[in-house]
Amino acid sequence: AEAVSMLVDKLEQAISIRFDTHDDNDGSYYWCKKIEHVSADGSYEIRPVLIAYLRDFLVEAVDHGDLDLSSALKLLPSGKYLVFNRLALFLIGRFVGLNRELARTSIMSISNIHNSKLEHEYVLLHERGYSSLSENDKLVLLEEIFKGPGNDEIFTDPDAPTESDLKFKELRI
């Protein structure tokens, strides 16, 4: 747990230096396209290296029974940065058989279904866990996928200036 905590702290520091943000927009879908393929070898960028070590450490710990999946997930800070949510989805997908209810809940989560920033890890989880869903869950899931995200999710620009940003800019001019 100490090693994970240290890696999480270092990763948070590395992200905060580059991304001054108070939401989960850490840009990880640009600098770490696929959690399962990121490598610590030969990278000049520290964030992917830290992700690779953190991923490998957690996978090994769960594989060898040193941690159960729920305990491993609790070591990841939830909601602070997107990359931790992506890593959690990766782990849930990697270990679908260890906690089918957690996999089911993650697959059925509407926020996961329609979040393009989680798309890769969600698709992997979906591929590995879909067959264990009940027929009713499969129907509900397909209906949600066909329905698509709401207009507010499609047309809202998360980087657009807020009303307070515009007022501040107006006052400075």
Side-chain angles (χ1 to χ4, degrees), residues 73-91:
L73 294 172
K74 286 177 186 172
L75 295 172
L76 299 173
S78 124
K80 182 161 185 182
Y81 289 117
L82 178 68
V83 74
F84 295 117
N85 296 338
R86 293 178 59 214
L87 184 55
L89 277 180
F90 166 78
L91 290 170

Side-chain angles (χ1 to χ4, degrees), residues 32-50:
C32 179
K33 297 269 186 213
K34 300 175 180 178
I35 295 286
E36 79 277 13
H37 292 305
V38 69
S39 172
D41 295 333
S43 179
Y44 61 90
E45 170 67 68
I46 190 65
R47 291 168 299 176
V49 171
L50 291 169

Side-chain angles (χ1 to χ4, degrees), residues 21 23 25 29-30 117 156-162 165:
T21 182
D23 60 13
N25 187 12
Y29 42 93
Y30 295 117
K117 296 174 184 174
T156 301
D157 180 5
D159 299 323
T162 63
D165 291 338

